[in-house]
Each structure stands twice: as C-alpha cells, then as structure tokens.
Amino acid sequence: MSCGSTLQARHLVPVLSWCFLQGRAACCGVRISKQYPIVELLTAFLFAFIAVLMFPPLLHTVALFLVCLLILITVYDALHTVIPDEWVYAFLVTAIIFRSIILLGTGDNLFETVLYTLFCAISIAAPLYFLWFITQGRGIGFGDVKLGLGIGALLGLANGLLALGLSFVVGAIFSVGILLPLPWYIRIFKGCGLLANTPKPSFTMKSEVPFGPFLIFGTLLIWFLTLTFGETSILGFLGLASL
C-alpha cells in the first residue's frame, strides 16, 4: 500500500513469505501488519478442521465457503466497523444450503426444511433487531442484525441462541479490557491490525467496537461443537434438546 509496487509470487506464500521477509515489504521495507499471517493461519486451521470431519464433497465445499465468508466478514468488520451486504447475504444463502443438506440427509421434507430454517434465521435476528431499534443504531449496527439471519439459518434456534449469548459474554469481556484501560491489552490488538481506526486516546463507553467478530466467534465455536459432538448431545446437556 505504501509504494504501489506489484508483489511477486514469492511474496505471496501464506505465512512463510511474512516470516522470510521478517514482517517487512520486500519493495520498500515498510512494516507489514501481523493481521496477514494471523488470518492465514486461522484459515488453515479452520480448513483443516473441516477436512477432518470427512464430509461428502458437496457438503465439504459448502462448509469451506462458509468458513471463507465468516473470516472475510470478521476481518473487514474489525478493520472498518461495517459488514458488506453482499457478504452477509451470501452467508445467509450458504447457511440455508448447508443446513438444508444436513436436514434432508435425515429424511426431512425440503419445503418444511427451508421454512424451518428461515424461521430460525428470523428468530435469531429478532433480538439483535430489537437491540438495534431501542438504541437507534448506537448499541449495535444493522449489519449485525443481518448477520444474525445467517447465524440462525446455520445453527438453528437453540444453538443460535447459545451463540448469541456466548458472543455477548466474550464481547463484554473484551470491552472491559479496553475500557480499564490496559495499554498492553490494546497494543496486542493494534499490533494485529485490529482497532486500527480507533482514536489514539483512551477508550470510553462511546468508543465504537465492532460486534461482528464476536458474533462470528460464538457462531464458529457452537457450529464446530455441533459438527464434532452432534447437535442433540450439546442441547441435551443443556436441557434444550426439544428446541
């Protein structure tokens, strides 16, 4: 970005190029954010997790696409505090496809499956919309409301609520950490390219912190748990198997 030079193939090897270049651009020596190798490692880890599950090829492809979309949304929202509509709607459609394939594999009717998935999507987005409405957009962005549609479609009603609850808890812990303030805590996130657009002075209750990454963290954790241990086992453990 600093000099406009075109990067060559050897500069674009995930993680390795950043390490060999010691975190600096080969053309002008400007420092490269740790965000890049972190995102590349995260992508590799999530892809490997999906591969271990041994899905059928179609389901495997859809799952990888979902992971890509969620990583894109997380990083973009963290840097710019906005979620592009194209990505959030693509997430919703892909989530509907993924869950429909799963439910159809159990013998469910296609029409009823899609209808139930849409019901779950609206149900999970509803509390986010309520929060957006009562705060007039100051407490949460409308992009997060639209993101809730995809979360509900992917996880279903009970697991979607679990993901929402987890997101609020993690978001609260993070926010308390930057409000205290803890300089080393803030430096870690700024060093990773996050909170880059926030002002230099200490954070206040009016500071804008993107909520999308926390929603996606909760979504990925609950989604991976259900894929690993089964949806009914988790819900049964929490007494929510009927949902």
Side-chain angles (χ1 to χ4, degrees), residues 15-235:
V15 182
L16 295 180
S17 290
W18 189 88
C19 293
F20 290 146
L21 293 171
Q22 297 182 337
R24 293 187 178 275
C27 44
C28 59
V30 70
R31 187 169 296 280
I32 303 172
S33 171
K34 296 184 183 72
Q35 164 206 328
Y36 296 98
I38 290 174
V39 171
E40 290 162 357
L41 285 170
L42 176 63
T43 303
F45 172 78
L46 296 180
F47 271 36
F49 180 87
I50 295 297
V52 168
L53 294 175
M54 300 296 290
F55 283 141
L58 176 59
L59 201 59
H60 191 186
T61 303
V62 176
L64 291 178
F65 189 63
L66 275 170
V67 167
C68 288
L69 284 171
L70 291 176
I71 292 174
L72 283 172
I73 293 171
T74 298
V75 177
Y76 197 88
D77 193 27
L79 293 176
H80 305 289
T81 64
V82 66
I83 303 175
D85 284 343
E86 296 85 355
W87 293 354
V88 78
Y89 291 137
F91 170 51
L92 171 60
V93 172
T94 310
I96 292 174
I97 293 173
F98 181 87
R99 189 159 179 83
S100 296
I101 295 173
I102 293 288
L103 294 178
L104 287 174
T106 63
D108 289 3
N109 177 272
L110 176 60
F111 176 76
E112 293 178 353
T113 295
V114 174
L115 194 63
Y116 174 71
T117 302
L118 290 174
F119 167 76
C120 292
I122 295 171
S123 298
I124 298 303
L128 295 173
Y129 175 81
F130 178 73
L131 181 59
W132 173 83
F133 180 78
I134 62 174
T135 62
Q136 298 181 338
R138 292 191 296 270
I140 193 173
F142 198 70
D144 299 321
V145 178
K146 290 180 282 190
L147 184 61
L149 292 170
I151 295 172
L154 179 65
L155 299 179
L157 183 55
N159 280 327
L161 292 174
L162 286 176
L164 279 189
L166 179 61
S167 303
F168 278 101
V169 170
V170 175
I173 294 172
F174 174 87
S175 298
V176 167
I178 64 175
L179 284 172
L180 286 178
L182 301 174
W184 61 269
Y185 185 86
I186 296 173
R187 265 199 311 273
I188 290 175
F189 289 96
K190 283 188 176 286
C192 297
L194 306 179
L195 302 176
N197 297 328
T198 52
K200 294 278 186 183
S202 60
F203 290 83
T204 69
M205 289 296 291
K206 294 183 178 180
S207 299
E208 185 178 5
V209 176
F211 188 51
F214 302 114
L215 284 173
I216 291 174
F217 172 79
T219 299
L220 283 173
L221 181 59
I222 298 299
W223 185 40
F224 283 179
L225 285 174
T226 59
L227 292 177
T228 303
F229 300 107
E231 185 171 334
T232 54
S233 61
I234 294 177
L235 298 183

